[in-house]
Amino acid sequence: SVSNRSLVEALEAKVLSLQQQLLCNVEKIDPVPDAMLATEFRQLAKAIKGLSRQIQFNDSDSLIRIDAIRQSLLVGRVKQEDLKSAVRMRPIVEAFVWSVLYGRLFCSPFYMFESIDLANDFLVLFGEDHQHQWPSPTTSSEQWRLISMEQLLHQVGEEVITTGIVQEKCPQLEANIQRVRSKVKDNIEGYLVRVSPGTNFSRVDDIVDKAFSLALHIFLQRCRIQVVYPEVGDAYEGEQPHLDSIAESIEVEKGSVALIASPGLAKWGDGEGKHLDQRLDLVPAMV
């Protein structure tokens, strides 16, 4: 339609303007080494696993009786017979926590700012034909994403994102960030407390801090970095760059993915934002 074409043309003009700004600022960006991002991801995964070990189950169905857990992104993909296995209760807790983090934070660079408009602009401009309905990584898409992130970060600073401490630089945007952080915490704690009311959920604050810090760091890189996960039913043939087994499946050498306890971290391109067609798995998904 005419209105859609006008919208796209306006957004394309915005892309050109932002790319020109990026050329002036590109030297300010220091790429974070892959090993540091992988370590940060693993520290978050470790914190989530620690929370899962604190949960006390009354029975093996206590988790899956809660619709929000059973239907969450990663848990909802699991077959019913696999959900009922008591040995998988703790991995299901992990999968639920990761589902909340992905849906509220990692599925778009702009969700941490509660900027749905920017998230939609990203897709309208560059499409949804990459993994998990992201745009395919191109020089244009990654420059647009990066300069947009930098502009938002410039308004608020890192601390409000990584710790929730308000700096009073941009009250509305800071309030948005605090609201997203609160929603993540409330979603995780609010449902798990129904399963294990006696648990101390102070670990959730640390999980939120670690998740927002990781999201900020991966979305400020010139290359594309995404939290990724396989599909239930995908082939598993022992340890692979993008897949590894959880303790409950350690003896399985070949088979298919039945449960994703933890997603992985994948990178397209290099520190300079080149070679965006090349994928490197920094951390495998745990299945």
Side-chain angles (χ1 to χ4, degrees):
S1 69
V2 174
S3 60
N4 284 339
R5 284 199 301 273
S6 298
L7 173 61
V8 171
E9 288 171 359
L11 289 172
E12 287 174 342
K14 184 179 180 182
V15 170
L16 179 59
S17 173
L18 289 170
Q19 287 176 344
Q20 289 170 342
Q21 293 178 49
L22 180 65
L23 293 176
C24 298
N25 294 308
V26 70
E27 296 304 323
K28 299 178 182 178
I29 307 164
D30 293 322
V32 178
D34 293 347
M36 289 183 64
L37 293 174
T39 296
E40 194 171 354
F41 185 94
R42 289 190 171 99
Q43 287 174 343
L44 172 59
K46 183 178 179 180
I48 294 170
K49 186 180 290 292
L51 174 64
S52 76
R53 290 172 177 166
Q54 287 188 300
I55 303 298
Q56 302 298 316
F57 304 102
N58 292 325
D59 58 74
S60 60
D61 289 339
S62 56
L63 271 175
I64 59 176
R65 279 198 296 265
I66 299 173
D67 288 345
I69 295 177
R70 188 180 68 251
Q71 297 170 7
S72 62
L73 176 69
L74 299 181
V75 182
R77 298 162 184 263
V78 182
K79 293 180 180 178
Q80 190 66 24
E81 57 267 29
D82 292 323
L83 280 177
K84 289 183 174 293
S85 171
V87 74
R88 291 196 169 104
M89 287 298 100
R90 299 197 189 284
I92 287 174
V93 172
E94 294 176 51
F96 168 66
V97 174
W98 278 110
S99 296
V100 174
L101 293 177
Y102 189 87
R104 292 284 186 183
L105 180 62
F106 289 118
C107 69
S108 171
F110 308 109
Y111 272 23
M112 70 179 76
F113 301 101
E114 206 175 40
S115 183
I116 306 303
D117 287 343
L118 266 180
N120 290 337
D121 288 350
F122 191 38
L123 301 180
V124 168
L125 276 171
F126 303 108
E128 303 176 47
D129 53 355
H130 189 59
Q131 194 160 0
H132 309 323
Q133 288 74 57
W134 277 56
S136 291
T138 63
T139 300
S140 295
S141 69
E142 301 319 289
Q143 287 183 349
W144 189 92
R145 182 236 338 135
L146 178 57
I147 193 62
S148 298
M149 283 291 298
E150 286 190 316
Q151 294 296 319
L152 289 165
L153 180 61
H154 179 71
Q155 294 183 56
V156 295
E158 284 195 25
E159 194 168 7
V160 67
I161 298 171
T162 59
T163 68
I165 298 174
V166 172
Q167 303 297 304
E168 297 185 355
K169 294 177 65 176
C170 181
Q172 181 175 347
L173 198 53
E174 289 176 336
N176 289 356
I177 295 165
Q178 285 191 311
R179 187 159 47 245
V180 177
R181 288 174 57 93
S182 293
K183 286 178 180 177
V184 170
K185 174 181 166 64
D186 292 347
N187 279 184
I188 294 171
E189 188 172 329
Y191 289 111
L192 291 181
V193 74
R194 292 165 58 181
V195 177
S196 182
T199 295
N200 179 350
F201 284 97
S202 59
R203 283 178 182 263
V204 176
D205 292 314
D206 183 51
I207 289 170
V208 172
D209 285 349
K210 282 181 165 61
F212 275 75
S213 178
L214 174 65
L216 179 64
H217 294 154
I218 65 176
F219 294 144
L220 278 174
Q221 302 308 302
R222 292 192 190 102
C223 59
R224 165 73 63 80
I225 301 181
Q226 287 181 230
V227 172
V228 294
Y229 52 88
E231 294 294 332
V232 167
D234 282 359
Y236 175 77
E237 299 178 356
E239 189 173 334
Q240 300 164 262
H242 68 296
L243 293 178
D244 200 356
S245 61
I246 59 176
E248 290 80 358
S249 304
I250 198 70
E251 296 180 358
V252 178
E253 294 183 1
K254 288 188 177 182
S256 59
V257 173
L259 167 69
I260 303 111
S262 169
L265 193 66
K267 167 185 175 180
W268 286 264
D270 59 21
E272 296 182 354
K274 300 177 181 177
H275 309 294
L276 291 165
D277 59 334
Q278 298 179 14
R279 171 173 172 162
L280 175 66
D281 288 282
L282 303 181
V283 182
M286 302 302 294
V287 300

